[in-house]
Amino acid sequence: PASAAPPFAIIAEELGYFPVTNKNGQTVNVPKRVKRESSEQAMALARHLKSKGVKVYETYWCPHSARQRELFGREAWAIVDHIECAP
């Protein structure tokens, strides 16, 4: 039986992040895009958190961070101030 590893893109999709080369030629990892649309409740929460100056600390590789991004949804996550903690 073959024991070949799956393509990196499949592994990265499962992990929730992708290696990308930035303008300086450095490879950095970025989280996958949020797929889910935001609910009205998520939008209201995001606006409230923003108004209070709340910051969300996350890492690209953390499954809990990925889950929070999806729970907020695309539009709400764009409103929330978030800080990437992993180098």
Side-chain angles (χ1 to χ4, degrees), residues 17-86:
Y17 57 89
F18 299 88
V20 176
T21 303
N22 66 17
K23 293 184 225 178
N24 300 328
Q26 300 168 314
T27 300
V28 295
N29 290 299
V30 296
K32 68 179 180 179
R33 289 190 174 104
V34 178
K35 296 178 183 176
R36 186 171 176 258
E37 283 188 37
S38 298
S39 67
E40 287 301 317
Q41 287 178 320
M43 293 295 292
L45 176 59
R47 286 191 286 274
H48 177 72
L49 293 174
K50 177 86 171 177
S51 75
K52 298 295 182 183
V54 172
K55 308 236 184 292
V56 176
Y57 292 85
E58 63 170 336
T59 61
Y60 66 86
W61 50 263
C62 176
H64 305 292
S65 294
R67 180 75 179 132
Q68 285 299 308
R69 288 189 293 270
E70 286 299 328
L71 287 172
F72 271 99
R74 284 186 306 272
E75 300 84 4
W77 189 246
I79 294 171
V80 174
D81 288 328
H82 46 279
I83 299 168
E84 174 61 49
C85 295

